[in-house]
Amino acid sequence: MTLLKPETDQVQARFPPKLGRKRDHTRDPKILDAALEVLAETGYDGMTIDMVASRAKAGKATLYRRWPSKAELVIDAVACMKKNMHGDEPLPDTGTLRGDLVAMIKPHSIEDSERKMQIMAGLMSMISQAPELADAANAAIMEPRAALNRQLMYRAVERGEISSACDIESIAMISPCMVTYRTLMLRKPVDREFLVSLIDGVILPSLGLSAKPSAS
Amino acid sequence: MTLLKPETDQVQARFPPKLGRKRDHTRDPKILDAALEVLAETGYDGMTIDMVASRAKAGKATLYRRWPSKAELVIDAVACMKKNMHGDEPLPDTGTLRGDLVAMIKPHSIEDSERKMQIMAGLMSMISQAPELADAANAAIMEPRAALNRQLMYRAVERGEISSACDIESIAMISPCMVTYRTLMLRKPVDREFLVSLIDGVILPSLGLSAKPSAS
DNA sequence: TGGTTCCGATACTCGACAGTACCGTATAGA
DNA sequence: TCTATACGGTACTGTCGAGTATCGGAACCA
C-alpha cells in the first residue's frame, strides 16, 4: 500500500498482454484467508510465507507476484477482513436495550470474536510500527462491534429509554475493550455469563438503567 | 522459568567455587531495565540480545551467564517490573470518589502508563504463546492500576457514597482497558481530558453517581 | 491446435540473529 | 601478592526465513 515497487506487474498492467492466460484472481481470497489463519495461530513474526503458500495450496512465487512483501500481504489481509464479513444479520429489536444487547450474544458471534482476538494478538507487535495496520485492525475487529452497540443505544435514546446526555461513544467501546482484555491477558473464555454480567454490571448502569427492569 | 537447562550455572550453584571473584549481581537490574527499554522500542521480535547488552554496557556472554535464553530474560524483566516500581504514593483521600479518581491523574502516572503500554505492545505477540508471560504482564501492568481503582471504590462503599451492589471488580478494569485500547489501537494521547471524560462519562455513572455532584 | 502466460514447486542467495567460544583484563578472595 | 573467576568485547557457528530465479506443466485465448 505504501511502497509499491514500480516493477513488472505495474508495467504489465499498463500494457496488458493480448495473448495467453490471464491472472486468476479467484485465488486471492483463499490466500488472504490462509494468511489470517496462520496469523491467528502463530503471530506475525512466527508466520512464514511458505506456511501461507502451502496452506492456500499456492506457490510462494504466486504470493510475491501479488504482494510486494510479507508486511503488505498481512495489511491487505486484515483490511479485507471487513469486506469479507458474513452478511450482517439484522439488528435485534426486542423493545428494551437490555433485550437487544442480550439478543446479540449468539454462539456465532462469540466464535467470530475469539477468532478476531487471535488475529489481533498476532498483529500487536507489528501494529506499533505500522499505523495503517492499526487502523485496519481497528476497523475490522473493534469498530464493527462498537458500531452495533452504538446503534442499539441511539435507538434507546430515541425511544426515551435512556438519556441523550449519556456518553454513548465511550460506553459502546466498553464491551469490545473488556472482551479483548479478558481474552488476550486473562485468557479466560468469553462466554454468555461473562457478557451478561458485563451488560448488567457495567453497561446498563452507566446508562442509568438498572440491571433488571422488572417493570417496563 | 519453564525450561532451565541443567548446565554449568546450576552445577556451579551446587559446588560453589572456593576461590576467585564472585558474580556481580548489582548489574542484573541494569540489564533488566535495558531489556524493558529495548522491548518498548522494538517489540519482542525486533529486540536482539546485542541491543540489550550494549544498552546495559554489558557483554552478551554476561547475559547468557544469567538467563538461559532471550525468552527467559524477557519474562524475568517483566516479572521484575512489579517489584522495581517506585514506592507507591499514598492513596488520595478527598472525601468523594470523583475527587479521588481525578486526584490520581498526575503527569507522572500518565508517563508511567505510556511506558507500560509500549512494553505491553512489544509483548503481545509472545503473550499468546507464553501464558506465564501473560500473567506477569497482567500483574505488572494492568493489575496495579485496577487495584488502586478498586480500593478507592470500596472506600466509597464504606462511606455510603455508592452501593455495595455495584460490580466494582469489573468497573475497576474499565479505565485500564480503555486506556490500553486508546493507546495501542487508536494511537491517541491519554491526556487529562480523556481520563476525566472517562470518569464522568462512564465510571461514575456505572456506579450510580452523576458526573458533577454540585452538592456534597 | 499453437502460442503465450500464469501456476505450483523447488532450489537458491543472502542477511539477520540466537547462542557459543574465546581472549585479554579487571577484581575480589585467600 | 597470587590466583581463580567474572567481566566486556569480539569473532564464530548454525539456523531460519524473506525474497529471487527458474522450470515443467497446465490453462486460456486466438
Side-chain angles (χ1 to χ4, degrees):
Chain A
M1 300 289 191
T2 15
L3 269 177
L4 278 179
K5 295 185 194 171
E7 300 287 340
T8 354
D9 276 0
Q10 286 199 342
V11 173
Q12 285 179 2
R14 276 182 203 264
F15 307 102
K18 300 276 193 273
L19 258 51
R21 196 177 168 189
K22 284 179 190 170
R23 179 166 289 179
D24 178 9
H25 275 251
T26 64
R27 269 173 177 73
D28 287 26
K30 197 167 189 176
I31 294 171
L32 293 173
D33 276 351
L36 289 178
E37 251 181 60
V38 178
L39 196 58
E41 289 170 18
T42 69
Y44 177 80
D45 301 275
M47 156 182 167
T48 72
I49 295 291
D50 291 274
M51 286 184 203
V52 178
S54 69
R55 182 87 51 124
K57 285 171 187 165
K60 187 155 67 157
T62 302
L63 272 67
Y64 279 103
R65 272 180 213 118
R66 289 151 206 247
W67 295 275
S69 71
K70 175 182 169 183
E72 304 275 348
L73 168 62
V74 169
I75 292 174
D76 215 21
V78 173
C80 289
M81 274 179 74
K82 207 182 160 194
K83 308 169 195 164
N84 300 347
M85 269 161 47
H86 311 296
D88 314 51
E89 305 158 26
L91 277 183
D93 192 353
T94 64
T96 65
L97 180 56
R98 182 178 192 278
D100 289 349
L101 290 172
V102 171
M104 288 210 336
I105 307 174
K106 281 172 289 191
H108 168 270
S109 67
I110 291 182
E111 285 167 25
D112 182 64
S113 172
E114 281 177 0
R115 175 186 159 80
K116 285 182 178 173
M117 290 298 114
Q118 289 304 319
I119 294 173
M120 184 134 106
L123 284 176
M124 284 307 283
S125 65
M126 210 202 168
I127 275 185
S128 51
Q129 285 148 25
E132 48 189 332
L133 183 58
D135 295 341
N138 189 46
I141 299 177
M142 302 293 278
E143 256 306 308
R145 191 150 292 260
L148 291 179
N149 288 338
R150 264 198 299 272
Q151 288 180 52
L152 297 181
M153 292 176 192
Y154 281 123
R155 218 169 49 186
V157 169
E158 288 172 12
R159 270 198 308 264
E161 190 178 359
I162 61 179
S163 158
S164 65
C166 291
D167 186 356
I168 289 180
E169 294 297 319
S170 294
I171 294 172
M173 288 306 312
I174 291 179
S175 69
C177 285
M178 302 283 274
V179 164
T180 305
Y181 169 69
R182 185 178 176 89
T183 306
L184 299 188
M185 296 290 288
L186 260 29
R187 308 171 64 80
K188 289 183 186 171
V190 175
D191 49 18
R192 182 184 179 85
E193 181 188 349
F194 168 72
L195 292 170
V196 170
S197 85
L198 207 55
I199 292 171
D200 288 334
V202 182
I203 295 173
L204 293 182
S206 71
L207 294 166
L209 294 176
S210 64
K212 298 200 177 179
S214 42
S216 82
Chain B
M1 301 289 190
T2 14
L3 270 178
L4 278 179
K5 297 183 193 171
E7 299 286 339
T8 354
D9 277 359
Q10 286 199 342
V11 172
Q12 285 179 1
R14 276 183 203 262
F15 309 99
K18 298 279 192 278
L19 258 51
R21 194 179 169 187
K22 284 181 187 165
R23 179 166 288 179
D24 179 8
H25 276 251
T26 65
R27 270 174 175 74
D28 287 25
K30 196 167 189 175
I31 295 172
L32 293 173
D33 276 351
L36 289 179
E37 251 181 60
V38 178
L39 196 57
E41 289 169 18
T42 69
Y44 177 80
D45 302 276
M47 155 183 168
T48 71
I49 295 290
D50 291 273
M51 286 184 202
V52 178
S54 68
R55 183 85 52 123
K57 285 172 186 163
K60 188 156 64 156
T62 302
L63 271 67
Y64 279 103
R65 273 180 213 116
R66 293 170 160 80
W67 295 276
S69 72
K70 175 183 169 182
E72 303 274 348
L73 168 62
V74 169
I75 292 174
D76 216 20
V78 174
C80 289
M81 275 180 74
K82 208 183 160 194
K83 307 170 194 166
N84 300 346
M85 268 162 47
H86 312 295
D88 314 51
E89 306 157 23
L91 278 182
D93 193 353
T94 64
T96 66
L97 179 57
R98 182 178 192 277
D100 290 350
L101 290 172
V102 171
M104 288 210 336
I105 307 174
K106 281 172 290 189
H108 168 270
S109 69
I110 290 182
E111 286 168 25
D112 181 64
S113 171
E114 281 177 1
R115 175 186 160 79
K116 284 182 178 172
M117 288 301 112
Q118 290 303 318
I119 293 173
M120 185 132 107
L123 283 176
M124 284 306 284
S125 64
M126 210 201 169
I127 275 185
S128 51
Q129 285 147 26
E132 47 189 333
L133 183 58
D135 295 341
N138 190 45
I141 298 176
M142 302 294 277
E143 256 306 309
R145 191 150 290 261
L148 291 179
N149 289 339
R150 264 198 297 273
Q151 287 180 53
L152 297 181
M153 292 176 192
Y154 280 124
R155 220 169 50 187
V157 170
E158 286 172 13
R159 270 198 307 264
E161 189 179 0
I162 61 179
S163 157
S164 65
C166 293
D167 187 356
I168 290 182
E169 294 297 320
S170 295
I171 294 173
M173 287 307 313
I174 291 180
S175 68
C177 285
M178 302 283 275
V179 165
T180 304
Y181 170 69
R182 186 178 175 88
T183 306
L184 299 188
M185 296 291 289
L186 261 30
R187 308 171 64 82
K188 290 184 185 171
V190 174
D191 49 17
R192 183 184 178 83
E193 183 188 349
F194 168 72
L195 292 169
V196 171
S197 85
L198 207 54
I199 292 171
D200 288 334
V202 183
I203 295 173
L204 293 182
S206 71
L207 293 166
L209 293 175
S210 66
K212 300 199 177 180
S214 43
S216 80

